[in-house]
Amino acid sequence: MELQIFGIGILTWLVFIPIVGMAAVLLIPGKNENAIRWTAAVSTGIQLVLAVIIFSVFDRTKIGINEAESFQFVEHLSWITVDSVPWVGRIEITYFLGLDGLSVIMVILTALIGFIGVISSWNIDKMVKGYFALYLLLVTGMMGVFVALDFFLFFIFWEVMLLPMYFLIGLWGGPRREYAAIKFFLYTFVGGILMLITMLALYFSVAYTDPATGETIHTFNMLHMMNPENFIDGGLLTGVDTTWRYVAWMALFINFAIKIPLFPFHTWLPDAHVEAPTPISVILAGILLKLGAYGLLRINFPIFPDATIYFVYFMATLGMISIIYGALCAMAQDDFKKLIAYSSISHMGIVVLGIAALNTQGMVGGVLQMFNHGIITAVLFLSVGVLYDRTHTRGLYDFGGIANQMPKYTGIAMIGMFAGLGLPGLNGFVSELFSFLGAFQAYKWITIVSVTGIIFTAGYILWTIQRVFLGERPEKLKDLKDLTPREILAFTPLIILIIFLGIYPAPAIELMNTSLSFLVEFVTN
C-alpha cells in the first residue's frame, strides 16, 4: 500500500514533520514563547493526524516481518552507494521505511504521546526555544526507529535520540540533573556501541548478487539479514547455533535490555525519571522504554532465531526477576516519581516474559502491554507533574486527603493506578493476562513466581492511594486547585484509551495479530 502527500511518502512526513517544526521553532525569535509552543503543538498534531490516517487504512491481513511485499507504505530509495571494491563488493545503504503489524501500534503510540508531551510542556518557561527544538528532534528519532527497515537507518535514528534526551534531562531537570543525564548517556552510549559492532558483523556476513551486473552487494537491509540464504560462506555470523551468533545476539540483547530497562541493566532509569521534567518522564516511560522490546522483536528474534531459542529461558528468567524486583523496590519508595519508575521496570518485565514465551498469546500480550504501559505511565507521570507543579514536592508522606479537594484529579489518577494494577475492565488487565497465559504454556514455574508480582503491585498501588488521596489533609494543602482545562485536555485521550481498550481490545489486537503469529512461526520453525 502506498500513500503520498505532495509526491512524498506518508512515512517520510510522519518521521520528519517534527524536524520541519524544529526548523520553524529555531527561526522564531526566542521572546515569542507562545508562538514556539504552538509551532511544536501543530507539528506533533499533524504527526498524530497522519498516524490516525495510517491506522484507518492499515491492512490487518498483511504479514510484514520478513516479506518485503507485505510491508505497507513502503519507501525504498538508494541512499549511499559505494562502487565495487575488491574485498567487500558494492556497498549499499538504503532509505527503507515500511510498516507491519509489529510497528504500526508503536507508531500510533509515539504520535499520541509525542503530542500530549507538548501539551504538558506548556508550563516550561526556561529556554523555551531550545527545549521545544530538542523535543521535536527527539520525537523524530523515536518515530524513525519504528519505521526503519535498513539497519544503518535504524542505528542513525537510535543514536539521534541520545543527545536531545541528554540535554533535556541535563538542562531542564531537577537538582541532580547532570548526574542523571550523564548516567543515561553512558548506559545508552555503551549499548549503542555494542549494536554498532554487531551491525558491522552482520553487514560483512550478509550479501546478495545483483542479477543485472553480477556484483556482490553488501547491504544493511534487515529483511535480507533475516534470510539465511544471504549469509556468505565463511562469514563471521554464517551458520546456525555458532558461538559468534550467540555473542552477536547477546550484544544486541544488552543494548536493548538497557533501553527496556531489564534487571540488571536498569539502574539509570530511576535517576533519569526522578530528575527529568514531567513531559520528558512521560516520553521516557511512554515510548523510549518500548524501543528496547521492539528492537528485540524486530532484530534479535528474526535475524538470530537459533540464538533466540537458545537464550529464551534466560530472557524469561530476567523478565521474572524484573517483575518481582521492580514491584518490591516500588513498595519501598516514598518519592511518587521514583515509585512509578520502579513500577515501569516491573511492568516491562511482563513484556519480556510474554515475548519470551514464543507463542502467539504471549507475543500479542507482550506487545499490547508495551502499548498499554505507554498509555498508563503517561497518565501516572502527568498526575505526579500536576501535584509537583502545585506543591513542589513528590514525597508521598507530604500528601493526604486530597480526594475531596481535587475530585477530577483524583478520578483520573485512580483510573491510571487501577489500570497499572491490572484491574479487569481497564487496558492493563488484558495485556497482562495474555502475557501470563502465553508464558504459562512455556514456563510454568517461572510464570507462577512472576504472577506473585501482581500482589506486590496491588500493595504499592493501594498504599499510594491511601497516602495521597485518603486520610487527613495537611493544612498546607488546603488551597490546592483541581485540574485546569489544559490539563484535562492532556489526560482525556489517555483515559478514553484505558477504558476503551479495557472493554474492547480487539482493534489493537487485530492490528498486530497476523504479523506476530507469523513472527512466532518464523522463529520457532
Side-chain angles (χ1 to χ4, degrees):
M1 179 183 293
E2 292 184 8
L3 194 57
Q4 295 188 339
I5 302 171
F6 301 126
I8 299 174
I10 192 170
L11 293 188
T12 295
W13 284 107
L14 188 77
V15 173
F16 291 104
I17 198 71
I19 288 289
V20 175
M22 185 184 81
V25 163
L26 292 175
L27 291 173
I28 298 172
K31 61 183 179 182
N32 294 337
E33 294 180 349
N34 275 335
I36 291 170
R37 294 185 182 103
W38 277 108
T39 302
V42 168
S43 59
T44 52
I46 293 172
Q47 190 183 46
L48 180 58
V49 170
L50 294 176
V52 171
I53 292 171
I54 287 172
F55 171 78
S56 63
V57 299
F58 187 81
D59 186 344
R60 277 80 170 154
T61 63
K62 290 200 169 184
I63 293 171
I65 303 298
N66 73 331
E67 297 181 358
E69 62 277 7
S70 64
F71 273 90
Q72 301 178 56
F73 316 106
V74 172
E75 297 173 41
H76 196 180
L77 304 169
S78 179
W79 180 20
I80 301 172
T81 301
V82 179
D83 288 337
S84 182
V85 290
W87 57 289
V88 293
R90 197 168 90 199
I91 298 170
E92 184 182 79
I93 301 172
T94 56
Y95 178 77
F96 189 13
L97 308 180
L99 281 183
D100 62 0
L102 171 59
S103 51
V104 68
I105 195 165
M106 294 296 109
V107 162
I108 294 165
L109 177 70
T110 305
L112 177 62
I113 300 295
F115 177 68
I116 288 173
V118 171
I119 302 297
S120 60
S121 298
W122 219 259
N123 285 341
I124 296 287
D125 55 4
K126 173 186 171 186
M127 298 183 286
V128 174
K129 186 172 180 174
Y131 175 88
F132 281 103
L134 289 168
Y135 181 93
L136 293 171
L137 179 61
L138 176 65
V139 173
T140 285
M142 294 186 298
M143 188 63 85
V145 167
F146 289 126
V147 301
L149 295 177
D150 183 284
F151 206 156
F152 187 86
L153 196 58
F154 181 95
F155 180 77
I156 295 293
F157 283 126
W158 186 275
E159 293 299 304
V160 159
M161 295 181 295
L162 186 57
L163 279 181
M165 184 56 84
Y166 169 77
F167 285 114
L168 286 166
I169 296 173
L171 294 177
W172 285 271
R176 296 175 70 242
R177 55 185 178 271
E178 291 91 354
Y179 169 76
I182 290 171
K183 196 171 180 180
F184 165 80
F185 186 93
L186 289 177
Y187 265 78
T188 48
F189 187 66
V190 169
I193 289 173
L194 292 174
M195 182 163 69
L196 175 63
I197 294 169
T198 310
M199 183 180 76
L200 293 176
L202 275 168
Y203 175 78
F204 285 111
S205 300
V206 174
Y208 68 96
T209 302
D210 187 335
T213 64
E215 281 184 293
T216 298
I217 300 174
H218 285 270
T219 177
F220 289 98
N221 186 317
M222 289 186 196
L223 307 191
H224 284 311
M225 291 175 175
M226 295 175 196
N227 186 350
E229 294 179 1
N230 290 329
F231 280 81
I232 60 175
D233 292 338
L236 185 67
L237 301 179
T238 303
V240 177
D241 289 322
T242 65
T243 302
W244 282 114
R245 284 178 67 82
Y246 291 169
V247 171
W249 187 95
M250 185 56 70
L252 285 172
F253 177 79
I254 292 172
N255 172 51
F256 295 134
I258 289 171
K259 214 67 155 194
I260 287 175
L262 200 62
F263 178 90
F265 308 103
H266 65 283
T267 60
W268 63 272
L269 182 74
D271 292 309
H273 267 315
V274 169
E275 300 304 326
T278 296
I280 304 307
S281 292
V282 172
I283 292 290
L284 257 173
I287 308 172
L288 224 69
L289 306 190
K290 314 304 174 290
L291 293 167
Y294 175 79
L296 287 176
L297 294 170
R298 175 63 71 201
I299 298 176
N300 280 54
F301 279 42
I303 294 180
F304 299 103
D306 48 336
T308 299
I309 291 171
Y310 182 81
F311 286 113
V312 79
Y313 270 92
F314 169 73
M315 278 181 62
T317 304
L318 286 188
M320 175 194 71
I321 295 172
S322 295
I323 292 169
I324 303 295
Y325 172 83
L328 287 174
C329 287
M331 287 189 80
Q333 303 307 313
D334 57 8
D335 183 305
F336 207 160
K337 224 175 177 183
K338 216 166 191 175
L339 180 146
I340 301 170
Y342 277 109
S343 77
S344 294
I345 295 171
S346 180
H347 284 104
M348 289 306 292
I350 297 175
V351 172
V352 174
L353 181 65
I355 64 176
L358 283 183
N359 54 43
T360 302
Q361 294 96 326
M363 198 75 82
V364 168
V367 177
L368 188 58
Q369 173 74 357
M370 288 160 63
F371 183 84
N372 287 340
H373 179 258
I375 301 293
I376 293 167
T377 49
V379 171
L380 296 179
F381 276 116
L382 288 174
S383 300
V384 177
V386 167
L387 281 186
Y388 187 76
D389 284 347
R390 287 157 173 73
T391 62
H392 302 290
T393 178
R394 296 188 303 264
L396 289 169
Y397 292 103
D398 294 332
F399 301 104
I402 65 172
N404 287 333
Q405 192 161 346
M406 302 177 71
K408 295 174 189 169
Y409 171 80
T410 301
I412 285 173
M414 283 199 178
I415 289 173
M417 288 183 177
F418 284 125
L421 172 59
L423 197 72
L426 302 175
N427 64 342
F429 171 75
V430 182
S431 50
E432 290 184 17
L433 178 67
F434 273 85
S435 299
F436 288 129
L437 276 177
F440 191 78
Q441 297 172 46
Y443 323 103
K444 186 189 299 180
W445 289 108
I446 288 177
T447 307
I448 290 171
V449 175
S450 300
V451 169
T452 60
I454 295 177
I455 300 170
F456 302 128
T457 302
Y460 69 74
I461 291 284
L462 295 175
W463 197 13
T464 301
I465 289 173
Q466 188 270 326
R467 283 182 288 184
V468 175
F469 301 101
L470 308 178
E472 189 175 343
R473 188 186 64 204
E475 183 65 20
K476 63 183 179 182
L477 301 180
K478 65 178 182 177
D479 296 325
L480 272 183
K481 303 293 184 191
D482 210 343
L483 295 176
T484 65
R486 180 181 58 79
E487 290 166 339
I488 293 174
L489 176 65
F491 278 116
T492 299
L494 301 172
I495 295 300
I496 290 173
L497 277 174
I498 285 175
I499 297 173
F500 178 77
L501 292 178
I503 298 170
Y504 185 56
I509 292 174
E510 286 169 359
L511 272 180
M512 64 180 93
N513 205 20
T514 304
S515 294
L516 295 184
S517 295
F518 179 78
L519 178 59
V520 169
E521 184 182 341
F522 182 75
V523 173
T524 54
N525 294 326

